[in-house]
Structure formats: structure tokens, C-alpha cells
mmCIF file of all heavy atoms in Angstrom:
data_model
loop_
_atom_site.group_PDB
_atom_site.id
_atom_site.type_symbol
_atom_site.label_atom_id
_atom_site.label_comp_id
_atom_site.label_asym_id
_atom_site.label_seq_id
_atom_site.Cartn_x
_atom_site.Cartn_y
_atom_site.Cartn_z
ATOM 1 N N GLY K 1 94.584 131.463 92.316
ATOM 2 C CA GLY K 1 95.128 132.375 93.329
ATOM 3 C C GLY K 1 94.142 132.628 94.428
ATOM 4 O O GLY K 1 94.512 132.665 95.627
ATOM 5 N N ALA K 2 92.862 132.803 94.049
ATOM 6 C CA ALA K 2 91.835 133.004 95.073
ATOM 7 C C ALA K 2 91.657 131.740 95.929
ATOM 8 O O ALA K 2 91.453 131.825 97.148
ATOM 9 C CB ALA K 2 90.512 133.382 94.390
ATOM 10 N N LEU K 3 91.767 130.539 95.302
ATOM 11 C CA LEU K 3 91.631 129.287 96.047
ATOM 12 C C LEU K 3 92.778 129.094 97.021
ATOM 13 O O LEU K 3 92.579 128.669 98.182
ATOM 14 C CB LEU K 3 91.580 128.115 95.060
ATOM 15 C CG LEU K 3 91.370 126.720 95.659
ATOM 16 C CD1 LEU K 3 90.046 126.653 96.418
ATOM 17 C CD2 LEU K 3 91.404 125.663 94.571
ATOM 18 N N LYS K 4 93.996 129.426 96.611
ATOM 19 C CA LYS K 4 95.157 129.285 97.490
ATOM 20 C C LYS K 4 95.071 130.246 98.672
ATOM 21 O O LYS K 4 95.450 129.914 99.802
ATOM 22 C CB LYS K 4 96.433 129.552 96.695
ATOM 23 C CG LYS K 4 97.699 129.426 97.523
ATOM 24 C CD LYS K 4 98.930 129.662 96.661
ATOM 25 C CE LYS K 4 100.199 129.533 97.505
ATOM 26 N NZ LYS K 4 101.414 129.780 96.687
ATOM 27 N N ALA K 5 94.562 131.458 98.372
ATOM 28 C CA ALA K 5 94.432 132.425 99.465
ATOM 29 C C ALA K 5 93.385 131.975 100.474
ATOM 30 O O ALA K 5 93.489 132.289 101.667
ATOM 31 C CB ALA K 5 94.066 133.798 98.877
ATOM 32 N N THR K 6 92.404 131.238 100.007
ATOM 33 C CA THR K 6 91.346 130.782 100.927
ATOM 34 C C THR K 6 91.810 129.576 101.751
ATOM 35 O O THR K 6 91.671 129.546 102.976
ATOM 36 C CB THR K 6 90.092 130.405 100.127
ATOM 37 O OG1 THR K 6 89.682 131.543 99.367
ATOM 38 C CG2 THR K 6 88.956 130.004 101.055
ATOM 39 N N ASP K 7 92.401 128.569 101.067
ATOM 40 C CA ASP K 7 92.831 127.343 101.761
ATOM 41 C C ASP K 7 93.923 126.684 100.932
ATOM 42 O O ASP K 7 93.678 126.268 99.804
ATOM 43 C CB ASP K 7 91.639 126.400 101.925
ATOM 44 C CG ASP K 7 91.988 125.180 102.797
ATOM 45 O OD1 ASP K 7 93.148 125.095 103.247
ATOM 46 O OD2 ASP K 7 91.095 124.352 102.991
ATOM 47 N N ALA K 8 95.136 126.604 101.495
ATOM 48 C CA ALA K 8 96.274 126.031 100.776
ATOM 49 C C ALA K 8 96.055 124.543 100.482
ATOM 50 O O ALA K 8 96.463 124.035 99.443
ATOM 51 C CB ALA K 8 97.574 126.236 101.561
ATOM 52 N N ASP K 9 95.398 123.809 101.421
ATOM 53 C CA ASP K 9 95.150 122.377 101.201
ATOM 54 C C ASP K 9 94.190 122.165 100.034
ATOM 55 O O ASP K 9 94.298 121.173 99.311
ATOM 56 C CB ASP K 9 94.575 121.739 102.487
ATOM 57 C CG ASP K 9 95.595 121.761 103.636
ATOM 58 O OD1 ASP K 9 96.809 121.825 103.322
ATOM 59 O OD2 ASP K 9 95.164 121.768 104.804
ATOM 60 N N SER K 10 93.247 123.052 99.891
ATOM 61 C CA SER K 10 92.287 122.923 98.784
ATOM 62 C C SER K 10 92.999 123.002 97.437
ATOM 63 O O SER K 10 92.624 122.312 96.481
ATOM 64 C CB SER K 10 91.229 124.028 98.859
ATOM 65 O OG SER K 10 90.501 123.924 100.070
ATOM 66 N N LEU K 11 94.070 123.814 97.342
ATOM 67 C CA LEU K 11 94.806 123.928 96.097
ATOM 68 C C LEU K 11 95.505 122.623 95.762
ATOM 69 O O LEU K 11 95.494 122.179 94.609
ATOM 70 C CB LEU K 11 95.833 125.074 96.190
ATOM 71 C CG LEU K 11 96.698 125.295 94.955
ATOM 72 C CD1 LEU K 11 95.831 125.630 93.739
ATOM 73 C CD2 LEU K 11 97.714 126.418 95.204
ATOM 74 N N SER K 12 96.100 121.960 96.781
ATOM 75 C CA SER K 12 96.780 120.685 96.524
ATOM 76 C C SER K 12 95.781 119.600 96.127
ATOM 77 O O SER K 12 96.073 118.774 95.256
ATOM 78 C CB SER K 12 97.561 120.236 97.778
ATOM 79 O OG SER K 12 96.663 120.076 98.889
ATOM 80 N N ILE K 13 94.589 119.655 96.705
ATOM 81 C CA ILE K 13 93.559 118.691 96.339
ATOM 82 C C ILE K 13 93.118 118.934 94.881
ATOM 83 O O ILE K 13 92.916 118.001 94.099
ATOM 84 C CB ILE K 13 92.362 118.782 97.299
ATOM 85 C CG1 ILE K 13 92.793 118.363 98.715
ATOM 86 C CG2 ILE K 13 91.194 117.912 96.808
ATOM 87 C CD1 ILE K 13 91.724 118.591 99.771
ATOM 88 N N TYR K 14 92.978 120.189 94.489
ATOM 89 C CA TYR K 14 92.581 120.533 93.112
ATOM 90 C C TYR K 14 93.623 120.054 92.111
ATOM 91 O O TYR K 14 93.280 119.483 91.071
ATOM 92 C CB TYR K 14 92.396 122.051 92.990
ATOM 93 C CG TYR K 14 92.129 122.511 91.576
ATOM 94 C CD1 TYR K 14 90.858 122.400 91.006
ATOM 95 C CD2 TYR K 14 93.166 123.017 90.795
ATOM 96 C CE1 TYR K 14 90.640 122.804 89.713
ATOM 97 C CE2 TYR K 14 92.950 123.417 89.493
ATOM 98 C CZ TYR K 14 91.673 123.310 88.946
ATOM 99 O OH TYR K 14 91.460 123.717 87.663
ATOM 100 N N VAL K 15 94.912 120.256 92.462
ATOM 101 C CA VAL K 15 95.985 119.820 91.566
ATOM 102 C C VAL K 15 95.961 118.289 91.441
ATOM 103 O O VAL K 15 96.158 117.745 90.352
ATOM 104 C CB VAL K 15 97.350 120.327 92.071
ATOM 105 C CG1 VAL K 15 98.479 119.715 91.267
ATOM 106 C CG2 VAL K 15 97.406 121.848 92.027
ATOM 107 N N ARG K 16 95.722 117.592 92.557
ATOM 108 C CA ARG K 16 95.667 116.135 92.495
ATOM 109 C C ARG K 16 94.527 115.661 91.615
ATOM 110 O O ARG K 16 94.684 114.733 90.808
ATOM 111 C CB ARG K 16 95.487 115.583 93.920
ATOM 112 C CG ARG K 16 95.557 114.037 93.990
ATOM 113 C CD ARG K 16 95.038 113.544 95.299
ATOM 114 N NE ARG K 16 93.619 113.878 95.446
ATOM 115 C CZ ARG K 16 92.889 113.567 96.522
ATOM 116 N NH1 ARG K 16 93.428 112.977 97.563
ATOM 117 N NH2 ARG K 16 91.604 113.900 96.575
ATOM 118 N N ASN K 17 93.358 116.303 91.684
ATOM 119 C CA ASN K 17 92.211 115.906 90.862
ATOM 120 C C ASN K 17 92.490 116.157 89.385
ATOM 121 O O ASN K 17 92.092 115.361 88.517
ATOM 122 C CB ASN K 17 90.969 116.673 91.292
ATOM 123 C CG ASN K 17 90.499 116.258 92.688
ATOM 124 O OD1 ASN K 17 90.807 115.139 93.148
ATOM 125 N ND2 ASN K 17 89.779 117.149 93.362
ATOM 126 N N VAL K 18 93.187 117.251 89.101
ATOM 127 C CA VAL K 18 93.526 117.531 87.706
ATOM 128 C C VAL K 18 94.479 116.473 87.177
ATOM 129 O O VAL K 18 94.349 115.999 86.036
ATOM 130 C CB VAL K 18 94.134 118.947 87.577
ATOM 131 C CG1 VAL K 18 94.682 119.176 86.173
ATOM 132 C CG2 VAL K 18 93.085 120.004 87.906
ATOM 133 N N LYS K 19 95.478 116.057 88.012
ATOM 134 C CA LYS K 19 96.413 115.027 87.588
ATOM 135 C C LYS K 19 95.703 113.716 87.342
ATOM 136 O O LYS K 19 95.992 112.999 86.374
ATOM 137 C CB LYS K 19 97.514 114.843 88.632
ATOM 138 C CG LYS K 19 98.498 116.003 88.694
ATOM 139 C CD LYS K 19 99.577 115.724 89.738
ATOM 140 C CE LYS K 19 100.611 116.842 89.797
ATOM 141 N NZ LYS K 19 101.668 116.561 90.797
ATOM 142 N N LEU K 20 94.763 113.366 88.204
ATOM 143 C CA LEU K 20 94.024 112.128 88.035
ATOM 144 C C LEU K 20 93.229 112.144 86.728
ATOM 145 O O LEU K 20 93.141 111.116 86.029
ATOM 146 C CB LEU K 20 93.082 111.899 89.226
ATOM 147 C CG LEU K 20 93.770 111.587 90.562
ATOM 148 C CD1 LEU K 20 92.738 111.493 91.697
ATOM 149 C CD2 LEU K 20 94.551 110.278 90.465
ATOM 150 N N ALA K 21 92.636 113.301 86.406
ATOM 151 C CA ALA K 21 91.882 113.404 85.154
ATOM 152 C C ALA K 21 92.798 113.232 83.949
ATOM 153 O O ALA K 21 92.448 112.563 82.962
ATOM 154 C CB ALA K 21 91.168 114.753 85.078
ATOM 155 N N LEU K 22 94.030 113.798 84.037
ATOM 156 C CA LEU K 22 94.968 113.654 82.939
ATOM 157 C C LEU K 22 95.462 112.224 82.825
ATOM 158 O O LEU K 22 95.616 111.690 81.718
ATOM 159 C CB LEU K 22 96.141 114.629 83.125
ATOM 160 C CG LEU K 22 95.797 116.126 83.009
ATOM 161 C CD1 LEU K 22 97.030 116.968 83.344
ATOM 162 C CD2 LEU K 22 95.302 116.463 81.600
ATOM 163 N N LEU K 23 95.727 111.582 83.983
ATOM 164 C CA LEU K 23 96.193 110.196 83.971
ATOM 165 C C LEU K 23 95.119 109.263 83.403
ATOM 166 O O LEU K 23 95.417 108.253 82.757
ATOM 167 C CB LEU K 23 96.599 109.759 85.377
ATOM 168 C CG LEU K 23 97.845 110.453 85.959
ATOM 169 C CD1 LEU K 23 98.064 110.045 87.414
ATOM 170 C CD2 LEU K 23 99.078 110.117 85.134
ATOM 171 N N GLY K 24 93.839 109.601 83.649
ATOM 172 C CA GLY K 24 92.760 108.773 83.125
ATOM 173 C C GLY K 24 92.676 108.839 81.600
ATOM 174 O O GLY K 24 92.226 107.890 80.961
ATOM 175 N N LYS K 25 93.144 109.913 81.016
ATOM 176 C CA LYS K 25 93.106 110.054 79.568
ATOM 177 C C LYS K 25 94.366 109.522 78.899
ATOM 178 O O LYS K 25 94.367 109.294 77.687
ATOM 179 C CB LYS K 25 92.914 111.530 79.179
ATOM 180 C CG LYS K 25 91.595 112.112 79.643
ATOM 181 C CD LYS K 25 91.492 113.576 79.252
ATOM 182 C CE LYS K 25 90.174 114.184 79.714
ATOM 183 N NZ LYS K 25 90.058 115.608 79.349
ATOM 184 N N ALA K 26 95.447 109.305 79.695
ATOM 185 C CA ALA K 26 96.728 108.891 79.101
ATOM 186 C C ALA K 26 96.694 107.395 78.794
ATOM 187 O O ALA K 26 96.112 106.594 79.524
ATOM 188 C CB ALA K 26 97.864 109.213 80.055
ATOM 189 N N GLN K 27 97.323 107.020 77.666
ATOM 190 C CA GLN K 27 97.423 105.605 77.289
ATOM 191 C C GLN K 27 98.700 104.979 77.844
ATOM 192 O O GLN K 27 98.777 103.767 78.003
ATOM 193 C CB GLN K 27 97.416 105.481 75.757
ATOM 194 C CG GLN K 27 96.117 105.951 75.117
ATOM 195 C CD GLN K 27 96.156 105.838 73.604
ATOM 196 O OE1 GLN K 27 97.197 105.481 73.049
ATOM 197 N NE2 GLN K 27 95.016 106.119 72.961
ATOM 198 N N ARG K 28 99.706 105.732 78.116
ATOM 199 C CA ARG K 28 100.956 105.213 78.651
ATOM 200 C C ARG K 28 101.511 106.238 79.632
ATOM 201 O O ARG K 28 101.515 107.425 79.345
ATOM 202 C CB ARG K 28 101.966 104.974 77.535
ATOM 203 C CG ARG K 28 103.305 104.429 78.035
ATOM 204 C CD ARG K 28 104.285 104.252 76.884
ATOM 205 N NE ARG K 28 103.764 103.256 75.928
ATOM 206 C CZ ARG K 28 104.372 102.930 74.801
ATOM 207 N NH1 ARG K 28 105.509 103.530 74.472
ATOM 208 N NH2 ARG K 28 103.842 102.002 73.981
ATOM 209 N N ILE K 29 102.012 105.717 80.729
ATOM 210 C CA ILE K 29 102.529 106.593 81.789
ATOM 211 C C ILE K 29 103.974 106.196 82.030
ATOM 212 O O ILE K 29 104.281 105.038 82.259
ATOM 213 C CB ILE K 29 101.721 106.471 83.083
ATOM 214 C CG1 ILE K 29 100.256 106.887 82.802
ATOM 215 C CG2 ILE K 29 102.327 107.340 84.179
ATOM 216 C CD1 ILE K 29 99.366 106.660 84.010
ATOM 217 N N ILE K 30 104.845 107.128 82.020
ATOM 218 C CA ILE K 30 106.261 106.895 82.323
ATOM 219 C C ILE K 30 106.570 107.624 83.631
ATOM 220 O O ILE K 30 106.446 108.855 83.696
ATOM 221 C CB ILE K 30 107.170 107.418 81.201
ATOM 222 C CG1 ILE K 30 106.842 106.691 79.884
ATOM 223 C CG2 ILE K 30 108.626 107.270 81.554
ATOM 224 C CD1 ILE K 30 107.586 107.235 78.697
ATOM 225 N N LYS K 31 106.968 106.880 84.613
ATOM 226 C CA LYS K 31 107.218 107.460 85.913
ATOM 227 C C LYS K 31 108.694 107.324 86.252
ATOM 228 O O LYS K 31 109.285 106.272 86.103
ATOM 229 C CB LYS K 31 106.386 106.725 86.982
ATOM 230 C CG LYS K 31 106.523 107.333 88.369
ATOM 231 C CD LYS K 31 105.604 106.617 89.375
ATOM 232 C CE LYS K 31 105.725 107.255 90.725
ATOM 233 N NZ LYS K 31 104.898 106.549 91.712
ATOM 234 N N GLU K 32 109.236 108.384 86.704
ATOM 235 C CA GLU K 32 110.657 108.440 87.058
ATOM 236 C C GLU K 32 110.835 107.735 88.405
ATOM 237 O O GLU K 32 110.115 107.992 89.364
ATOM 238 C CB GLU K 32 111.114 109.892 87.127
ATOM 239 C CG GLU K 32 112.590 110.035 87.451
ATOM 240 C CD GLU K 32 113.025 111.477 87.535
ATOM 241 O OE1 GLU K 32 112.145 112.375 87.327
ATOM 242 O OE2 GLU K 32 114.199 111.728 87.793
#
């Protein structure tokens, strides 16, 4: 919440980095 209040773009970048970390740990990815 504090990050979004400071910079909305920074929040989207943080979410993307978290997704990349999760994708790096996944053995199989199913994409719609």
C-alpha cells in the first residue's frame, strides 16, 4: 500500500518481478 501510494508503476514492476520468481520455480506452466 505504501509502494502504490508512492508510485503506481513501481507496484506493477514489483508484481512482475514476483511473477517471474514464481515462474522460475514452476516445472510446468499452463497459459490460457
Side-chain angles (χ1 to χ4, degrees):
L3 183 60
K4 180 178 180 181
T6 302
D7 187 0
D9 295 336
S10 299
L11 179 60
S12 60
I13 295 173
Y14 174 80
V15 172
R16 186 194 64 180
N17 292 337
V18 172
K19 289 181 178 181
L20 291 175
L22 293 175
L23 293 174
K25 297 179 180 180
Q27 296 179 356
R28 180 182 297 177
I29 299 174
I30 300 174
K31 184 176 182 182
E32 182 181 0

